[in-house]
Amino acid sequence: MADAAVATKKKPGWRTLVRSLKNPKSGYMALFGFAQGLPPALFLGTLYAWLSEAEIDLETMGVFSLVGLAYAFQFLWSPLLDKVDIPGLRKLGKRKQWIAPMQLIVGIALLVMSFLDPKSALGWFSLLAAIGAFASATQDIAINAWRIDVADEEATLDILSTITQMGFRLAALIGGALGLIIAERIGWPQTYVIMGAIMLAIGIAGLFAPDANVAKRSAASVAANEEEVAELYNMGEITEKVRNRALLAVGLLWAWAIGTVVVFMVRSMTAAPARARM
């Protein structure tokens, strides 16, 4: 009996890996991982090369980098994605209703940026970058939840997580090093058109991804999850009322802090140069 138990607990082999890679979920996971890695490379890395070529001063670029705060503070609105449905899009699925639209928003932001001159329209440029970063951070939340929801015995969570990282790193290379090479050959606007088109294509493809239907999980999986949640509540001994009040206080403070940063960015971007004031 002991030998049989050990045999049933053997680690997945190459056959399991091959079967999981043939699963459509793995293909979509690679696309979603790619979509997670491309926007940060374009909004927080490659974009500075474009701004430098447009002769934007270092002080302004330093302020511009604050758009990356969207990735650091995404935990603030992540709970809303579980509780809020987008009107008319709920039928896509609990996670897909957030994934596909956010990817399309990122693609549109990149396309519109490609038609702007950062030197003469820096305000719009920074606004689009901020919107794109926020949409990118939001899709990250939904994709991470989708990966957990769709994982099964064939496309396991470990394998899907590995595929995500592969897609992410590949996108970082394409949006970074390859983006610089393409820009050198055909120009920055054309480069961002290409990247925006890629994000739009992934967003459209994401509409057909397997639905992360939590209701289809096995009864054992749901029971185990409920048991873990109950255990956490017992350990913390925090009532829902107290927790909601604490979250409200923290949320208001973060909203004030983010609002202050946004006002600082707007004033910095719109302030007249020192020479012009003289």
Side-chain angles (χ1 to χ4, degrees):
M1 294 292 292
D3 294 339
V6 172
T8 57
K9 294 182 179 180
K10 291 175 69 175
K11 293 182 179 180
W14 288 105
R15 292 182 180 179
T16 303
L17 177 61
V18 172
R19 284 198 304 271
S20 66
L21 294 178
K22 291 181 179 179
N23 193 310
K25 296 176 183 178
S26 299
Y28 280 103
M29 193 71 261
L31 282 179
F32 288 165
F34 189 91
Q36 284 184 291
L38 191 60
L42 296 174
F43 292 131
L44 303 178
T46 308
L47 187 61
Y48 296 120
W50 188 359
L51 295 177
S52 298
E53 191 173 300
E55 299 180 351
I56 304 298
D57 59 89
L58 293 177
E59 180 183 356
T60 302
M61 283 194 284
V63 175
F64 206 94
S65 66
L66 293 176
V67 299
L69 291 176
Y71 296 98
F73 294 144
Q74 59 182 261
F75 66 91
L76 293 175
W77 64 90
S78 60
L80 295 178
L81 271 64
D82 271 333
K83 299 178 180 179
V84 178
D85 293 328
I86 302 177
L89 297 180
R90 180 62 182 87
K91 59 184 179 181
L92 291 176
K94 186 68 176 176
R95 312 303 180 189
K96 285 165 55 181
Q97 68 172 333
W98 289 101
I99 295 174
M102 293 303 108
Q103 291 172 344
L104 294 175
I105 289 174
V106 173
I108 292 171
L110 292 172
L111 287 177
V112 176
M113 288 174 68
S114 69
F115 292 99
L116 297 177
D117 180 10
K119 197 168 185 178
S120 60
L122 188 59
W124 285 106
F125 211 74
S126 60
L127 177 61
L128 288 168
I131 292 174
F134 178 81
S136 172
T138 303
Q139 71 142 2
D140 290 353
I141 299 168
I143 289 174
N144 291 335
W146 180 87
R147 180 174 68 246
I148 296 172
D149 289 346
V150 301
D152 54 27
E153 293 79 7
E154 188 173 274
T156 64
L157 182 59
D158 292 341
I159 293 176
L160 291 179
S161 298
T162 302
I163 293 173
T164 302
Q165 288 301 313
M166 290 174 60
F168 188 97
R169 300 305 174 189
L170 178 61
L173 288 173
I174 291 178
L178 185 60
L180 294 174
I181 295 174
I182 296 175
E184 179 68 22
R185 304 238 174 178
I186 63 176
W188 288 108
Q190 293 81 359
T191 301
Y192 272 68
V193 166
I194 294 173
M195 301 301 175
I198 292 175
M199 285 300 303
L200 289 177
I202 295 175
I204 295 173
L207 296 173
F208 304 96
D211 187 12
N213 192 344
V214 182
K216 292 182 180 179
R217 289 180 179 176
S218 65
S221 175
V222 174
N225 184 61
E226 291 178 350
E227 184 178 346
E228 289 178 3
V229 173
E231 184 179 350
L232 289 175
Y233 274 114
N234 293 333
M235 291 174 60
E237 296 182 353
I238 298 176
T239 63
E240 185 175 357
K241 186 176 181 180
V242 173
R243 183 189 61 179
N244 290 337
R245 288 180 178 177
L247 288 175
L248 177 61
V250 173
L252 290 175
L253 291 173
W254 276 116
W256 173 78
I258 293 174
T260 303
V261 171
V262 170
V263 171
F264 171 72
M265 288 182 62
V266 172
R267 289 180 177 177
S268 299
M269 294 293 184
T270 57
R275 292 180 181 177
R277 291 198 298 267
M278 294 176 62

